[in-house]
Amino acid sequence: MSDGLGIRGGRGGIGAKTDDMRLKARLLEGTNGTLGEIAGHARAAAMSGALARTAILSPVSAAQAEGQLVQAAASVSALTLRLEAAVLLLRVHARLFELADSGGHALDVIGSSLLMLQPAEIVRDLAMGENPLSVHPEFVELVTGGLEVAILATSAAAGAPVWPSNYEGVLGRLQGALRLAGLWRGETIHVGEPGDPVKVPMSSLSAVLRSEYQLAHGPAKPLDRSAVRVVKVDHPGRRATWIVEIPGTDFGGDRHDPSNGPPNLSLMRGHDPLMKAVLDAMQGAGVGADDDILLAGHSQGGIAAMAIAGDPASRQRFSHMNHVLTAGSPVGHFHPPPGVHVLSIEHDQDPIPRLEHGLNPDRPDWTTVTRDIGDVPAVKLSPFAAHNALLYAQTADRIAGDPRLAAVNQDFGRFLGDSGEQFDTTLTRP
């Protein structure tokens, strides 16, 4: 039962299949080399003087042996040619699969453009009280694309000498504009002492995302500050694991709130004081350098989690940050190191994960689960309602019951348990 979920990447994704195809191609290539050597030895033996010298004693046996060696060499040579062709076909098919998979997103964008030629549908949706962006989430691609173009055009009009050549360049240009406007300074973040431990169960990914929602509206909010939640989960018979929850964007936060809007830009570039602050909060809560850690985050929290997991300096402090859970986060441009397992949850109507203009990579260790929630009443009125962390927690419930995701649930499930101890640490900017 799929329960309305779409799945990209992971062990069943095209990336895993093409990796398998290339691995088999390499194995066949190695086998082919060995067979080539065997054929060479057979030919050499057939032509050797030693065999000719035995013909004096037994001409018939020597002729039969020579014929069999020549036949064996020919048969093995023919087999090597077939294997060589198979290796070539495997590699070509792997590349074709990848091109077809990446082309699927291009077709989505083309389809979005075609929808723009159907104003009657927009009028009908508005007449029914529905938001066109919710009914046709493909529109969001065009809206976010227009935002990127507007950023570039504005920077060019301001006399910027160099036109950004990539996504990070666009982010850097916008971040520079925020600095000039006095909206972003990037000061060091003060990390408070961890609060008193609270006993909590953390037995599902849904519980993690519900805890994320509670963190965003929890004890730190009356002060309009941010907080990191670290949960130690005990397991009978094996070492404890840790879940680190990083809050999402607080658009209402003032300049003292490390989780307000501007840090999103520097986090997406992989450099922000919030990253070190999260690591300091982990250390203060008792996380060890070699402990197993699941980094989890909704929205901005997911961006921070991916930035930390892929940052060499962060991994020097905590070497086993090998699992990341993101919900509603634009993280497709990140390149976590091998061995880091990522589960990204995205709603079709949520505009935030689409801010990058691309799909998450199709990799064996990165699974993206999507869900169409256009039938949710609040989402029909506004696509931004699809960004709600509680809705993502409901989607996580569906993930837990999907047999196609059994391997993912087992992998991430080892961090979960009924016996958890929670520590909250408040973060502030000066």
Side-chain angles (χ1 to χ4, degrees):
M1 179 179 176
S2 66
D3 219 358
L5 301 180
I7 302 173
R8 173 180 169 81
R11 297 183 186 179
I14 287 177
K17 291 181 174 61
T18 55
D19 282 352
D20 287 342
M21 292 168 76
R22 288 195 171 93
L23 174 60
K24 289 173 182 175
R26 288 197 298 273
L27 292 174
L28 285 175
E29 199 168 39
T31 302
N32 213 24
T34 302
L35 288 174
E37 292 176 2
I38 292 173
H41 291 318
R43 284 191 296 269
M47 303 300 293
S48 70
L51 185 59
R53 286 191 294 272
T54 64
I56 300 174
L57 301 174
S58 180
V60 176
S61 297
Q64 289 177 341
E66 184 175 5
Q68 289 173 351
L69 284 170
V70 170
Q71 184 179 1
S75 298
V76 173
S77 295
L79 179 58
T80 60
L81 288 174
R82 290 198 296 272
L83 284 176
E84 189 174 345
V87 168
L88 178 62
L89 284 174
L90 275 173
R91 287 178 171 152
V92 169
H93 287 164
R95 183 58 182 154
L96 288 174
F97 272 126
E98 289 172 341
L99 290 173
D101 189 47
S102 61
H105 180 62
L107 291 176
D108 286 343
V109 175
I110 292 171
S112 302
S113 302
L114 292 176
L115 281 172
M116 294 298 287
L117 302 177
Q118 301 178 18
E121 291 193 16
I122 300 177
V123 173
R124 183 197 63 193
D125 297 335
L126 291 172
M128 295 178 65
E130 297 177 345
N131 191 314
L133 290 175
S134 298
V135 181
H136 305 292
E138 298 88 353
F139 280 140
V140 180
E141 295 282 359
L142 300 177
V143 173
T144 54
L147 177 62
E148 185 173 320
V149 171
I151 294 169
L152 293 171
T154 302
S155 62
V162 179
W163 186 273
S165 59
N166 54 32
Y167 185 72
E168 287 200 359
V170 174
L171 295 175
R173 185 65 53 77
L174 183 56
Q175 188 175 1
L178 291 175
R179 284 183 183 275
L180 290 174
L183 299 175
W184 167 242
R185 291 185 293 177
E187 300 93 338
T188 301
I189 296 172
H190 173 72
V191 180
E193 294 295 324
D196 295 332
V198 178
K199 295 291 185 181
V200 294
M202 200 63 71
S203 54
S204 68
L205 295 180
S206 176
V208 174
L209 293 179
R210 292 179 191 279
S211 180
E212 282 268 347
Y213 178 84
Q214 193 276 333
L215 177 65
H217 300 81
K221 287 299 100 179
L223 299 175
D224 199 22
R225 297 296 180 266
S226 181
V228 173
R229 175 166 291 170
V230 179
V231 183
K232 180 182 180 182
V233 181
D234 292 316
H235 308 279
R238 62 184 178 95
R239 292 177 61 182
T241 56
W242 297 83
I243 301 173
V244 179
E245 301 173 19
I246 309 171
T249 306
D250 180 10
F251 286 106
D254 61 19
R255 65 182 183 86
H256 300 290
D257 188 345
S259 295
N260 59 7
N264 280 291
L265 301 173
S266 48
L267 284 171
M268 292 179 79
R269 301 178 71 194
H271 306 285
D272 189 87
L274 179 60
M275 296 165 60
K276 181 180 181 300
V278 171
L279 298 179
D280 290 345
M282 292 164 55
Q283 185 174 338
V287 183
D290 297 323
D291 287 342
D292 288 328
I293 300 165
L294 165 62
L295 298 170
H298 167 250
S299 190
Q300 183 189 99
I303 301 172
M306 289 292 285
I308 292 170
D311 177 48
S314 299
R315 298 188 66 82
Q316 284 183 353
R317 290 185 63 178
F318 298 97
S319 59
H320 289 179
M321 297 185 294
N322 293 334
H323 288 73
V324 180
L325 170 66
T326 71
S329 306
V331 292
H333 74 287
F334 283 101
H335 302 281
V340 174
H341 300 260
V342 182
L343 172 60
S344 293
I345 310 175
E346 299 178 357
H347 292 153
D348 289 346
Q349 285 73 21
D350 186 354
I352 304 303
R354 293 174 176 260
L355 287 174
E356 285 190 308
H357 274 308
L359 299 174
N360 292 345
D362 180 352
R363 289 173 33 175
D365 51 6
W366 189 333
T367 303
T368 301
V369 180
T370 59
R371 179 186 168 203
D372 185 343
I373 59 170
D375 58 345
V376 175
V379 175
K380 288 182 177 181
L381 298 177
S382 169
F384 289 99
H387 193 59
N388 186 284
L390 290 181
L391 283 177
Y392 275 105
Q394 294 175 14
T395 301
D397 279 329
R398 299 192 180 205
I399 290 173
D402 195 315
R404 298 173 299 168
L405 295 165
V408 173
N409 285 315
Q410 181 178 6
D411 187 21
F412 281 76
R414 65 190 185 87
F415 290 89
L416 306 171
D418 294 325
S419 178
E421 195 173 40
Q422 168 184 302
F423 303 86
D424 286 354
T425 302
T426 301
L427 311 179
T428 55
R429 292 191 191 274

